[in-house]
Amino acid sequence: MASRTIENYLKQIYLSRPADETQWLTMGKLSAAVGVTPGTATSMVRAISDAHLVEYEPRAGVRLTPAGEQLALHVLRRHRLIELLLVQVLGLDWSEVHDDAEELEHVVSDRLLAKIDEILQHPAFDPHGDPIPTAGGVVRRQDCCTLLDCPLGEPTSIARILDQSAEFLQYVNQCGLLPGAEIRVASRNHQAQTVELMVIKSDENQLVAMSFSVAEKFLVQLNERKK
Amino acid sequence: MASRTIENYLKQIYLSRPADETQWLTMGKLSAAVGVTPGTATSMVRAISDAHLVEYEPRAGVRLTPAGEQLALHVLRRHRLIELLLVQVLGLDWSEVHDDAEELEHVVSDRLLAKIDEILQHPAFDPHGDPIPTAGGVVRRQDCCTLLDCPLGEPTSIARILDQSAEFLQYVNQCGLLPGAEIRVASRNHQAQTVELMVIKSDENQLVAMSFSVAEKFLVQLNERKK
DNA sequence: CAATTAACTTTGATAAGACAAAGTTAATTA
DNA sequence: TAATTAACTTTGTCTTATCAAAGTTAATTG
């Protein structure tokens, strides 16, 4: 079995992988994501490569093998199911569950995870809108775009928050922009680098403004979202 | 903070400590309990002793300091609250929760533990009848005796199972001897080294026989048990 | 195209935690 | 009391994971 350290590296390699699948993840980005010095990342990646979980090309970077990706997705599945459990069953605030899940994801047994999955009725998304890989290691594709490139004026809803830091999620809470929230993007100002959007609530609507860099952290859905 | 290894040593020192508080726990027993070679136990105990969590007397053994005992009780509190959560909320069988709890006890944050405690409504006992130390590190005394030395003929009930192995607990399940079960000890045969007892069920009673060595693993209550 | 620089790798050292095997104590037996 | 033995400690080595600092590559810039 892969150590918790290796599980962490694989997860970060997966999460930080470049959009273009032919590209390598550079060691600089990986070491930053894992939180170790570049030299440490190099030697760990060499070891993980010996176990055929990643391909490593010196001075180019690192890339998951199919086996490594499966392992990464299992870790991610654990992480996201646990987050949902903490929110839905234990009643923790969704802005606070990330750190606990980060630890728990490495110790929860398959048996326990199956039970959690069952209790939550095989959910497809975690509290931040991140897709939960299936037990078979398949990620359902989400048809999403960010608040920067979605159509203006059309009613849509928040699907996913990409920044999981507690502070940011508390801001998201205040704005009422949690996954599922109904919104309409009112305008974009390229000079001011801001987006204005309407949050549609049952009682009253609310206008929210944010910078482009923040708007990028919100994904909105294009098609109907299942479950 | 104490490492997970140290937490484990402290927990085992607590659980294996001799009944007489002036006695030392020998290194042989400790190494067996932790599952390491004697030499490893010696060097770890030296390190833990440097941190003032235990007293160590070469060739005599080891004993918790007040600080070490508090830490041990916190680990035990986590373990037992987690076991109860897994049984009551996640619906796992009580014979299967020990191993998961063994891992989870080292990673659950104080915040999460407080939430678990709240959801379970501040329980006093885990599924095996083991007392859950309070957040302040106090263990409620149980007034118990084993099936070997409790009075004959009197109605009483099972309070606690001392053997937590899955196989044994499955046997306990079959006999219907879980904590809370109403029983009456019918007879003891010192020649055959067996105890016979009546398990009082709503529909019908059942006679169960077991050896002295197994009877010792059951504690029955003397006074009324709270909560 | 030489000099600079950013990114990466290598090297050497360290800490935690473990084992095997050799060495030591102290109790038991003869 | 000498020999034996069980229990414990010491010593040396290993693995995993880390850092700091020195060395290397390759891209950028003047």
Side-chain angles (χ1 to χ4, degrees):
Chain A
M1 250 302 89
S3 71
R4 105 170 7 207
T5 304
I6 290 179
E7 285 191 349
N8 253 324
Y9 275 80
L10 293 175
K11 186 181 69 170
Q12 294 301 346
I13 294 169
Y14 180 85
L15 291 175
S16 309
R17 100 210 100 113
D20 177 353
E21 298 202 0
T22 66
Q23 293 296 298
W24 300 86
L25 172 64
T26 65
M27 299 310 276
K29 284 183 180 159
L30 176 58
S31 65
V34 177
V36 296
T37 59
T40 302
T42 297
S43 64
M44 269 309 302
V45 163
R46 290 215 115 104
I48 300 173
S49 162
D50 291 345
H52 305 292
L53 295 170
V54 296
E55 291 177 79
Y56 169 59
E57 192 68 37
R59 308 213 175 250
V62 67
R63 190 197 277 162
L64 291 171
T65 63
E69 181 170 304
Q70 279 305 301
L71 234 165
L73 289 174
H74 269 97
V75 178
L76 225 50
R77 173 174 165 81
R78 282 186 238 137
H79 181 99
R80 292 176 178 169
L81 275 173
I82 290 164
E83 281 195 342
L84 197 60
L85 178 85
L86 296 184
V87 170
Q88 294 214 335
V89 177
L90 299 190
L92 270 82
D93 193 281
W94 72 309
S95 67
E96 303 181 324
V97 294
H98 187 78
D99 293 352
D100 277 303
E102 204 78 1
E103 290 294 316
L104 291 165
E105 69 188 9
H106 302 294
V107 300
V108 164
S109 69
D110 286 351
R111 200 184 50 198
L112 177 50
L113 195 75
K115 208 77 189 182
I116 293 172
D117 187 41
E118 187 189 318
I119 284 178
L120 297 172
Q121 299 177 55
H122 315 291
F125 300 96
D126 82 1
H128 312 101
D130 298 327
I132 298 171
T134 66
V138 177
V139 187
R140 305 165 192 80
R141 287 289 323 143
Q142 273 177 304
D143 249 344
C144 285
C145 56
T146 75
L147 284 178
L148 279 193
D149 33 51
C150 68
L152 281 180
E154 287 181 26
T156 178
S157 65
I158 300 290
R160 188 171 176 186
I161 317 290
L162 299 179
D163 182 336
Q164 321 247 332
S165 69
E167 316 83 66
F168 185 71
L169 292 177
Q170 269 144 31
Y171 157 76
V172 175
N173 254 345
Q174 276 160 28
C175 302
L177 284 171
L178 347 193
E182 307 273 313
I183 61 150
R184 197 156 39 76
V185 178
S187 66
R188 297 198 186 89
N189 184 330
H190 284 262
Q191 253 45 53
Q193 297 268 300
T194 56
V195 178
E196 276 194 327
L197 53 110
M198 191 67 89
V199 185
I200 300 157
K201 297 179 183 172
S202 54
D203 45 350
E204 56 165 358
N205 297 349
Q206 193 188 334
L207 201 61
V208 172
M210 60 181 68
S211 80
F212 278 9
S213 59
V214 171
E216 259 184 331
K217 297 176 174 179
F218 292 90
L219 295 191
V220 304
Q221 69 183 79
L222 287 178
N223 305 333
E224 262 323 290
R225 183 176 161 198
K226 279 133 204 154
K227 165 146 312 163
Chain B
M1 251 301 89
S3 71
R4 102 168 13 206
T5 304
I6 290 178
E7 285 190 350
N8 254 322
Y9 275 80
L10 294 175
K11 186 181 68 169
Q12 294 300 346
I13 294 168
Y14 180 84
L15 291 175
S16 309
R17 98 212 101 115
D20 177 353
E21 298 202 0
T22 66
Q23 293 297 297
W24 300 86
L25 171 64
T26 65
M27 298 309 276
K29 283 180 183 163
L30 175 59
S31 65
V34 176
V36 295
T37 59
T40 302
T42 298
S43 65
M44 270 309 301
V45 163
R46 289 214 116 103
I48 300 172
S49 163
D50 291 346
H52 305 291
L53 296 169
V54 297
E55 292 177 78
Y56 169 59
E57 192 68 34
R59 309 215 172 247
V62 67
R63 193 196 276 162
L64 291 170
T65 63
E69 181 170 305
Q70 279 306 300
L71 234 164
L73 289 174
H74 268 98
V75 177
L76 225 49
R77 172 173 165 81
R78 282 186 237 137
H79 180 100
R80 292 176 177 169
L81 275 174
I82 289 164
E83 281 195 342
L84 197 61
L85 178 84
L86 296 185
V87 170
Q88 294 213 334
V89 177
L90 299 190
L92 272 82
D93 193 281
W94 72 310
S95 67
E96 303 182 324
V97 295
H98 187 79
D99 293 353
D100 277 303
E102 203 77 359
E103 290 293 316
L104 291 165
E105 68 188 11
H106 303 293
V107 300
V108 163
S109 68
D110 286 351
R111 200 184 49 199
L112 177 50
L113 195 76
K115 208 77 190 182
I116 293 173
D117 187 41
E118 187 189 318
I119 283 179
L120 298 172
Q121 300 177 55
H122 316 292
F125 300 95
D126 82 1
H128 313 100
D130 298 327
I132 299 171
T134 66
V138 176
V139 186
R140 305 166 192 79
R141 287 290 323 143
Q142 272 177 303
D143 249 343
C144 286
C145 55
T146 74
L147 283 179
L148 278 193
D149 33 52
C150 67
L152 281 180
E154 287 181 26
T156 177
S157 64
I158 300 289
R160 188 171 175 187
I161 318 290
L162 298 180
D163 182 336
Q164 321 246 334
S165 69
E167 315 83 65
F168 185 71
L169 293 177
Q170 269 144 30
Y171 156 76
V172 174
N173 253 344
Q174 275 161 28
C175 303
L177 285 171
L178 348 195
E182 308 273 315
I183 60 150
R184 197 155 39 75
V185 178
S187 66
R188 295 198 186 90
N189 184 329
H190 284 263
Q191 253 43 53
Q193 296 267 299
T194 56
V195 177
E196 277 194 327
L197 54 110
M198 191 67 89
V199 186
I200 300 157
K201 297 180 184 172
S202 54
D203 43 351
E204 56 165 358
N205 296 350
Q206 193 187 335
L207 200 63
V208 172
M210 60 181 68
S211 80
F212 278 10
S213 59
V214 171
E216 261 184 329
K217 297 177 174 179
F218 292 90
L219 295 191
V220 304
Q221 70 184 77
L222 288 178
N223 304 335
E224 263 323 290
R225 184 176 161 198
K226 278 135 205 153
K227 165 149 304 164

